[in-house]
Amino acid sequence: MLQAKMQINTITCSAAISACDQRASWTRSMYLVNVARTSGIVPSGMNFGSLISALQKASFWKHSLAMLDEARVFWRTVHPAAFDEHRGRAGTGELSQNPEQAAASLDPRIACSGILDILALGLGLAAVSKPPGMTTEVVLEKLQTQLRSAGEVEYLTCVSRLDHQTSGVLMVALGPEHSAAAQMAIAQFAGRMVVKEYVCLCVGEPLGAIDSTGAVTLPLQFFLDSQGNHKVIACTGGKVARTSYRIVATYSGTKGSERNIDEVMSLLAVRIHTGRMHQIRVHLSSIGRPLIADATYGAQAFRHIDWCPRMFLHCRRVKLHDLAGQEFSAQAHLPEDLALVLARLQDVRMGSWALQKK
C-alpha cells in the first residue's frame, strides 16, 4: 500500500522516516526502514538515528541499543572493506576510558606529533582535544594531515561540532561519509545516544545548593540576525531541547583584579540531551545565568573581561559506541587558560562532586 502511494527512493524514505520521528511513531519508522532495505536502498545513519530517536521517545531504551547493534551489523555487511580499513592502531577498539592510557596505546607517530592532542583512537572513531579559537573544520583538516602522515586513514567525517571558542573532546569518524564508521557515529548523534558532558562558568545567583541538579527544557529556534549572523533564541515554537546540569562550585568574586566583581558565579557540569546550536549558551542565558565572556548571549558587563580570555565552556567527556559495538569514551581535562580563571576566583564553595573523578 505504501508503494502505491509514493515512489520508493532514498529521498522519499528519508523524509518519511524523519516525519515519523517527529511524531514519535517508532512502529512506522521501523516499517519504513525495513521497506528501504527490501527495496535495495541502504538506510543512512540519519535514517537509523531517526528510528532510534523515536524508540527513545517511547522509552524503549533496550530496543534502541538493539537497533543500533542491528544497524552496525548491517553497515558492516554493506561496507566490509570500510569496516576493515578504519580500525586505527588500537586494533580491537577496546580502549581504556583513562585518556592517558588510551594515548599511550597509540602509535607514537600520532600521539606525539603535530598540534593536536589525540585522546583516543579506536575502531572507526577518533577523539581529539579541540583547542579554543580553532574551528571544527580546521581541526579536521589538521587531524587528517596528522593521521595521513602517520600512515593511518585517508579520510575523516565530521559527526559533531564545537563552537569556535569552545575547547574539549571532539569526536571524528575514521572514514568517508558513506563508510560504516561515519554512519554508525551519525546514527548515534541523530538518535541522541551520545553522552556529552561540559564544564561552564556562569554568572548569577546559584541555581541551588552545591551538588544539586536541574534541567532546562525550553525549545530553541535558529535564525539569522540583521547582519547575517547565526543566532538562537528560546521560544515556544522552536525545536525540542534539553540541558541538565549539576552545581559543582560557587564563587563570589575575583582575587587581585582591577575590577571588583561582586557578582556570584557558579561552576556547572552540564550534559546536553539534544544537539541544538548554542544550546548550553542559550539555555543558561534564558534562565538568567549566562556564561562568562560569552560575547553573544552573555550579560553585558561580563561579555569582555580582562580575567577571562574567552567564553568559559569546555567539552569534558564524550561517550558513544564504536564499530565493534563497544563503549568508546574520551575525556579532556580543563585547559590551562580556564583553570587559571578558576584560580583567580575567591570565596569558593566546592561540593563533593569532583570534576576529575567523573
Side-chain angles (χ1 to χ4, degrees):
M1 183 177 294
L2 177 66
Q3 291 160 331
K5 292 182 178 180
M6 73 175 188
Q7 181 181 1
I8 303 298
N9 56 41
T10 301
I11 296 175
T12 56
C13 276
S14 295
I17 292 169
S18 177
C20 290
D21 173 28
Q22 294 174 17
R23 294 174 174 80
S25 179
W26 67 269
T27 52
R28 293 183 179 181
S29 292
M30 187 172 293
Y31 171 70
L32 288 165
V33 167
N34 288 331
V35 166
R37 292 168 65 175
T38 56
S39 301
I41 299 170
V42 179
S44 67
M46 287 299 296
N47 296 154
F48 272 106
S50 294
L51 171 54
I52 290 169
S53 175
L55 285 167
Q56 300 228 58
K57 290 174 183 176
S59 298
F60 291 151
W61 318 117
K62 291 184 179 179
H63 292 77
S64 298
L65 289 171
M67 182 53 59
L68 178 65
D69 193 59
E70 181 179 331
R72 178 184 65 83
V73 174
F74 171 72
W75 285 316
R76 180 178 179 177
T77 303
V78 173
H79 302 294
F83 180 85
D84 292 333
E85 180 182 357
H86 306 299
R87 290 180 179 272
R89 290 293 182 182
T92 63
E94 298 177 356
L95 294 180
S96 167
Q97 291 188 24
N98 182 303
E100 287 79 11
Q101 292 178 3
S105 70
L106 304 180
D107 187 315
R109 294 173 301 173
I110 300 175
C112 301
S113 64
I115 298 173
L116 300 176
D117 178 15
I118 299 178
L119 303 169
L121 187 65
L123 194 58
L125 289 171
V128 62
S129 181
K130 176 191 170 300
M134 188 179 294
T135 66
T136 296
E137 290 76 13
V138 171
V139 171
L140 260 67
E141 289 176 7
K142 289 181 176 295
L143 179 60
Q144 183 163 293
T145 300
Q146 201 166 321
L147 292 175
R148 280 179 175 175
S149 66
E152 295 295 323
V153 297
E154 278 291 310
Y155 300 101
L156 302 176
T157 298
C158 177
V159 293
S160 67
R161 295 177 181 276
L162 292 176
D163 292 341
H164 180 260
Q165 291 190 52
T166 306
S167 56
V169 182
L170 180 67
M171 284 289 178
V172 179
L174 300 177
E177 188 174 354
H178 69 272
S179 67
Q183 295 306 309
M184 177 72 171
I186 290 170
Q188 293 176 80
F189 278 99
R192 301 174 184 173
M193 300 185 75
V194 180
V195 175
K196 295 186 72 175
E197 297 176 354
Y198 291 76
V199 179
C200 67
L201 184 67
C202 62
V203 64
E205 289 298 317
L207 293 164
I210 298 296
D211 284 334
S212 63
T213 61
V216 186
T217 57
L218 296 171
L220 298 178
Q221 181 67 53
F222 163 84
F223 73 100
L224 292 175
D225 65 13
S226 57
Q227 284 76 43
N229 299 315
H230 298 118
K231 289 189 178 180
V232 177
I233 57 172
C235 62
T236 54
K239 293 185 177 180
V240 173
R242 178 180 173 81
T243 303
S244 59
Y245 59 84
R246 181 185 295 271
I247 302 171
V248 179
T250 59
Y251 309 86
S252 65
T254 60
K255 296 180 289 188
S257 175
E258 294 180 2
R259 298 176 62 188
N260 184 20
I261 305 300
D262 296 324
E263 294 281 355
V264 176
M265 289 164 278
S266 298
L267 184 67
L268 305 180
V270 178
R271 178 177 173 183
I272 56 173
H273 304 268
T274 50
R276 307 303 180 196
M277 177 185 286
H278 302 170
Q279 179 172 321
I280 294 174
R281 300 164 63 187
V282 177
H283 262 173
L284 290 178
S285 179
S286 69
I287 61 171
R289 305 299 186 278
L291 299 191
I292 293 292
D294 186 341
T296 303
Y297 307 105
Q300 196 65 42
F302 289 85
R303 291 191 175 189
H304 305 284
I305 45 181
D306 56 2
W307 50 271
C308 188
R310 64 176 170 98
M311 179 175 66
F312 200 117
L313 183 61
H314 174 73
C315 184
R316 183 179 165 274
R317 188 171 77 102
V318 177
K319 183 177 72 173
L320 67 167
H321 289 81
D322 65 13
L323 268 178
Q326 300 297 312
E327 204 171 81
F328 182 87
S329 179
Q331 179 173 312
H333 296 300
L334 197 67
E336 184 179 3
D337 62 342
L338 298 186
L340 289 173
V341 170
L342 295 183
R344 296 191 65 179
L345 302 180
Q346 63 184 355
D347 293 339
V348 60
R349 289 186 289 277
M350 181 74 73
S352 59
W353 191 89
L355 287 175
Q356 65 271 20
K357 294 181 180 179
K358 287 288 181 177

